[in-house]
Amino acid sequence: MRKKNLTAIAENSIDNICLINMFDIKENLKKLPDLPGVYMHKDSLGQVIYVGKAVSLKSRVRQYFQSYGKSTPKLRALTDQIAEFEYITCGSEMEALILECNLIKKYQPKYNVLLRDDKTYPYIMVTTSEKYPRVIKTRIIKKDGNKYFGPYSDVGAVNLIVDQLNETFGLKRCSAEDFPKGFRPCLNYHIEQCQGICQGDVDEKAYGEKIESILAFLSGRDKAFIRELKDEMEKASSEMRFEDAARARDLIMSAEALAQAQRVTMVSGRDMDVVIPVKDDENSFVVLFTVRDGKLVGRETFDIASLDGDEAKLLTAEFLKQYYEKWSDVPHDILVPELPDDAALIEEFLGRNKHKVKLSVPRKGERLAIMKLAKKDTLELLNIIKDRQKSSKEKSASLKKEIDIILEAAREAMHLSTDINGKAQKSQVRSYRVESYDISNTNGVDSVGAMVVFEGASKIRKDYRRFKIKTVEGPDDYASLREMVYRRFIRANQGDPAFKILPDIIFMDGGLGQVTSALKAMDDAGVKIPVVGLAKDDSHRTRAIVFADGSELDLKEHPLLFKYAGTIQEEVHRFAIEYHRNLHGKRAITSVLDEIEGIGPTRRNALLAHFGSIDAIKKASIDELASVPGMNHGAAEKVREFFSK
């Protein structure tokens, strides 16, 4: 298949979708074509819950509504939720595989095995398409003839190595390629960090040799690179170019440190990756070992979202497709502990950049030795992960006990029984859901409210909410809190899905005044939920839990709760200030004062800062207006005259 055909399919995944209204599954199963393609199962809300590929759409999709769809708990759960399906016909199974990858990335269906990797990793790019190549960091791969290395998970290391390579070799930094007569060199030339390509002072062949050394180093072949650097250092030292020698020395130290961290395994000097899936009752992840020039040079771990019943080889298959799809250069050899079902098709997919990729299970020799090493390392990693999970569970259990105590004390302070709104509020297995609120404004201007949500120790960012305060003028935080909390719970009562989940307890940013304000708002909304305040000391650190009856719990004796409460308080404060600053900056505080002759931004802001609100300015006398810094008697008369109309 030609590359342009693959690109067209990857970019245009909607052309052949069969969209059906008032969906009748039985009728539409009859219409399925006996062709390769991709199918998408949807639930009753129209959300894509599974994406799959098929050699024959007619045979494959029908299986879900026959015995196959009841063969495992996962498939039974999936089939029970299918309300409709769509399909896309393709020219071959290979085209279907490419399209399947794109649609999984787009929809993130909950019944697919998903690679939890939404980060954009940095790459090192060598612009070999240019006459004098540059070495730069990038996060975007293009088919532009340049060399890309990565992706790398350590951004700091990428920045360091790019800077040192540029400084040591005096590489070209600017993107310009044509230098007309009289072209003025940049600062890098004057501080001797560029050899002066723009001045015609650089031999193209010598420059190219340095680029070849850099390419070898980035490919994992560091011995020749380090040897060349040592020669450069000794030469610079003998010529008394001590700064150049020092730069070469620093790069040698970085390269040697990297080499020392590598665990050497003799694999005939080949480049390969080792992919190990791990799945137990609690964990699903893939460990990727990178072998370059016969050396194991890196290990990365990727969390996988999978369900009970997903086999390890399924994790391997989905990882291979989703991870390497974004790579510009896939190694020729990939070792796996067990071949996936579509091994041949995946090999063709991974080798689409015109070189053969082989998936294999090693049976003997050096390849088996490195697989055993990778498996042993993975088992150790799994033990570490389990230890961390155990520690995390113990902390979560301790935190839950502490919140149990806080919750009971809050109910007592509010004179609530353990039965609130007719529902027994018993200690639950799940983590407590906590909401916290804060207000931010500038002298009462652009007053906003923020709500953050935690479940146990986890931030639930999708449930964060922001409010513009509408009914309060001036810097009245208590009234603003009452408005925000009332709006939050009245919308819950009205069935707004954005506010339908109620918290187990509310942590107010502040003391008794904030607690009282929240309770008044919830009483008006007809809601009874325990509320506590987070009081700060003179150093603005959370010092105590404040209850509705004015009693306090000192957090000095509760270090875990102290850290938890402080985290919540910092988060809601950050979220409120961030929203206020964004709103404040966008509007640049425009107001009716801008309509008054002689009142510009400086006087407008001074009046708002002094009086706090437009209402207060309206009521002020001419003498009071004139006393504001920047104002005079004439300007005060203009303001008084404007509002008197």
Side-chain angles (χ1 to χ4, degrees):
M1 183 185 299
R2 292 178 296 177
K3 182 182 285 187
K4 65 179 183 180
N5 290 339
L6 297 180
T7 304
I9 289 174
E11 292 177 350
N12 186 4
S13 62
I14 308 298
D15 285 351
N16 296 317
I17 291 182
C18 177
L19 293 173
I20 308 163
N21 295 320
M22 301 299 293
F23 201 87
D24 185 321
I25 289 180
K26 289 184 178 180
E27 284 300 315
N28 284 284
L29 285 174
K30 299 175 182 177
K31 301 175 183 177
L32 285 165
D34 189 14
L35 295 171
V38 173
Y39 56 92
M40 292 171 286
H41 291 316
K42 293 186 173 185
D43 61 16
S44 58
L45 298 176
Q47 296 176 320
V48 177
I49 57 175
Y50 186 78
V51 174
K53 63 171 176 57
V55 176
S56 169
L57 288 166
K58 185 175 184 177
S59 300
R60 182 60 172 167
V61 177
R62 281 181 173 180
Q63 290 179 344
Y64 286 90
F65 305 96
Q66 298 168 351
S67 59
Y68 171 76
K70 301 175 183 178
S71 59
T72 67
K74 174 186 173 181
L75 284 170
R76 285 197 297 271
L78 166 61
T79 305
D80 288 344
Q81 293 190 43
I82 298 174
E84 61 178 291
F85 58 80
E86 297 177 0
Y87 62 84
I88 306 168
T89 58
C90 299
S92 67
E93 190 179 5
M94 185 62 188
E95 291 182 6
L97 175 60
I98 295 172
L99 184 52
E100 179 194 30
C101 288
N102 282 314
L103 293 177
I104 288 174
K105 285 196 297 181
K106 178 179 180 180
Y107 293 112
Q108 298 283 296
K110 68 178 181 178
Y111 284 99
N112 282 92
V113 173
L114 301 175
L115 175 61
R116 287 177 179 154
D117 181 21
D118 56 356
K119 295 179 286 187
T120 304
Y121 289 105
Y123 295 78
I124 295 176
M125 178 174 72
V126 182
T127 59
T128 49
S129 62
E130 299 175 358
K131 183 178 181 181
Y132 291 94
R134 296 169 290 141
V135 177
I136 58 179
K137 182 183 80 172
T138 183
R139 292 182 184 269
I140 300 173
I141 295 180
K142 299 179 181 178
K143 296 178 181 178
D144 51 9
N146 296 317
K147 295 280 188 181
Y148 293 87
F149 299 89
Y152 301 100
S153 58
D154 189 338
V155 180
V158 172
N159 291 333
L160 178 64
I161 203 68
V162 168
D163 289 343
Q164 288 191 336
L165 287 172
N166 277 302
E167 291 175 13
T168 301
F169 290 100
L171 301 179
K172 178 172 172 283
R173 308 286 184 90
C174 63
S175 59
E177 296 190 52
D178 297 321
F179 304 102
K181 188 175 182 180
F183 188 90
R184 297 179 63 183
C186 65
L187 179 62
N188 288 317
Y189 174 77
H190 294 296
I191 62 176
E192 298 183 353
Q193 289 194 2
C194 176
Q195 300 176 51
I197 291 168
C198 60
Q199 302 300 296
D201 298 338
V202 179
D203 178 67
E204 184 178 352
K205 182 179 179 182
Y207 189 93
E209 290 173 353
K210 292 183 176 182
I211 293 296
E212 287 300 320
S213 297
I214 291 170
L215 290 172
F217 170 67
L218 293 174
S219 300
R221 299 184 291 276
D222 49 51
K223 289 183 180 179
F225 179 77
I226 291 175
R227 185 169 58 248
E228 184 177 334
L229 281 176
K230 287 181 177 179
D231 293 342
E232 175 65 26
M233 181 181 68
E234 292 172 0
K235 180 181 179 182
S237 179
S238 65
E239 296 175 357
M240 302 184 71
R241 293 184 288 109
F242 299 117
E243 289 186 0
D244 292 340
R247 281 196 292 269
R249 177 204 62 202
D250 292 342
L251 190 52
I252 289 169
M253 291 173 64
S254 295
E256 287 181 338
L258 181 64
Q260 289 170 4
Q262 297 167 344
R263 290 166 288 177
V264 178
T265 58
M266 300 305 294
V267 194
S268 306
R270 302 186 68 173
D271 292 352
M272 66 178 65
D273 284 352
V274 184
V275 175
I276 309 287
V278 178
K279 185 171 177 60
D280 61 16
D281 293 339
E282 299 183 17
N283 303 283
S284 292
F285 59 90
V286 168
V287 185
L288 172 67
F289 297 86
T290 308
V291 179
R292 295 294 179 266
D293 197 24
K295 290 181 289 187
L296 187 59
V297 299
R299 184 195 73 185
E300 289 190 78
T301 305
F302 298 86
D303 286 339
I304 297 289
S306 68
L307 299 174
D308 293 339
D310 287 335
E311 297 179 350
K313 64 180 181 179
L314 175 61
L315 269 61
T316 302
E318 295 304 320
F319 175 82
L320 291 171
K321 291 184 287 184
Q322 295 180 52
Y323 178 74
Y324 288 109
E325 190 273 337
K326 66 183 180 181
W327 274 65
S328 61
D329 187 21
V330 181
H332 291 269
D333 290 324
I334 300 177
L335 306 185
V336 294
E338 184 180 10
L339 286 176
D341 293 336
D342 295 335
L345 185 62
I346 292 173
E347 286 175 345
E348 184 184 352
F349 172 64
L350 298 181
R352 63 196 183 281
N353 290 330
K354 295 184 178 179
H355 74 258
K356 187 176 181 181
V357 174
K358 178 68 175 175
L359 301 179
S360 59
V361 179
R363 303 298 182 190
K364 60 182 180 179
E366 296 171 342
R367 292 155 64 86
L368 180 59
I370 195 170
M371 173 60 78
K372 287 181 177 179
L373 174 65
K375 285 184 175 180
K376 181 181 178 181
D377 191 274
T378 299
L379 288 175
E380 293 177 1
L381 178 64
L382 180 59
N383 290 331
I384 292 172
I385 290 174
K386 286 184 174 180
D387 287 342
R388 289 176 180 173
Q389 288 175 338
K390 181 180 178 182
S391 176
S392 177
K393 285 181 179 179
E394 289 173 351
K395 287 183 178 179
S396 295
S398 297
L399 178 61
K400 190 172 183 298
K401 289 179 181 178
E402 300 238 24
I403 298 180
D404 277 337
I405 296 170
I406 298 299
L407 191 57
E408 187 61 31
R411 288 180 185 138
E412 289 180 6
M414 294 171 60
H415 306 290
L416 295 174
S417 67
T418 56
D419 185 35
I420 300 175
N421 291 338
K423 295 182 180 179
Q425 300 293 305
K426 295 180 180 179
S427 180
Q428 302 168 8
V429 175
R430 70 171 177 81
S431 299
Y432 279 118
R433 186 178 177 92
V434 177
E435 287 183 3
S436 186
Y437 304 87
D438 192 18
I439 296 294
S440 182
N441 59 64
T442 302
N443 295 316
V445 177
D446 283 336
S447 189
V448 300
M451 176 186 108
V452 301
V453 180
F454 282 67
E455 284 186 0
S458 302
K459 301 171 185 175
I460 312 300
R461 289 190 173 88
K462 67 182 179 62
D463 290 342
Y464 285 16
R465 298 292 180 263
R466 303 182 298 189
F467 302 80
K468 287 183 183 178
I469 302 305
K470 301 176 180 178
T471 64
V472 181
E473 293 212 18
D476 189 339
D477 285 0
Y478 293 157
S480 298
L481 279 171
R482 287 196 298 273
E483 179 192 323
M484 173 172 57
V485 175
Y486 176 78
R487 286 166 55 191
R488 183 261 181 268
F489 287 104
I490 205 67
R491 289 177 69 176
N493 290 344
Q494 293 168 350
D496 188 333
F499 292 92
K500 67 179 180 180
I501 305 177
L502 299 182
D504 297 294
I505 188 170
I506 293 171
F507 283 24
M508 298 300 298
D509 181 29
L512 185 58
Q514 282 79 7
V515 172
T516 303
S517 296
L519 289 173
K520 175 67 170 63
M522 287 193 293
D523 188 56
D524 292 341
V527 177
K528 293 185 182 298
I529 293 174
V531 181
V532 297
L534 303 175
K536 292 181 179 179
D537 58 20
D538 294 337
S539 301
H540 295 282
R541 296 180 64 188
T542 309
R543 65 169 181 81
I545 300 289
V546 180
F547 299 99
D549 60 1
S551 60
E552 295 186 357
L553 174 69
D554 194 328
L555 293 176
K556 288 181 180 178
E557 304 300 322
H558 302 270
L560 189 62
L561 189 59
F562 169 78
K563 184 176 181 180
Y564 182 64
T567 299
I568 290 176
Q569 198 165 32
E570 289 174 7
E571 179 67 1
V572 71
H573 190 58
R574 176 202 64 78
F575 192 54
I577 288 178
E578 181 182 88
Y579 180 39
H580 171 66
R581 285 176 176 168
N582 289 342
L583 187 65
H584 205 62
K586 288 177 182 177
R587 291 206 312 108
I589 315 180
T590 58
S591 74
V592 293
L593 297 177
D594 294 311
E595 301 175 24
I596 304 174
E597 182 182 353
I599 303 299
T602 302
R603 284 177 171 171
R604 175 199 66 204
N605 292 342
L607 287 168
L608 287 171
H610 183 82
F611 291 102
S613 69
I614 297 297
D615 278 348
I617 295 172
K618 290 179 181 179
K619 298 173 184 177
S621 67
I622 291 177
D623 289 339
E624 289 173 333
L625 292 167
S627 67
V628 175
M631 292 288 289
N632 55 39
H633 199 76
E637 287 182 338
K638 292 286 187 183
V639 174
R640 182 78 270 127
E641 180 183 354
F642 177 86
F643 285 118
S644 67
K645 296 179 181 179

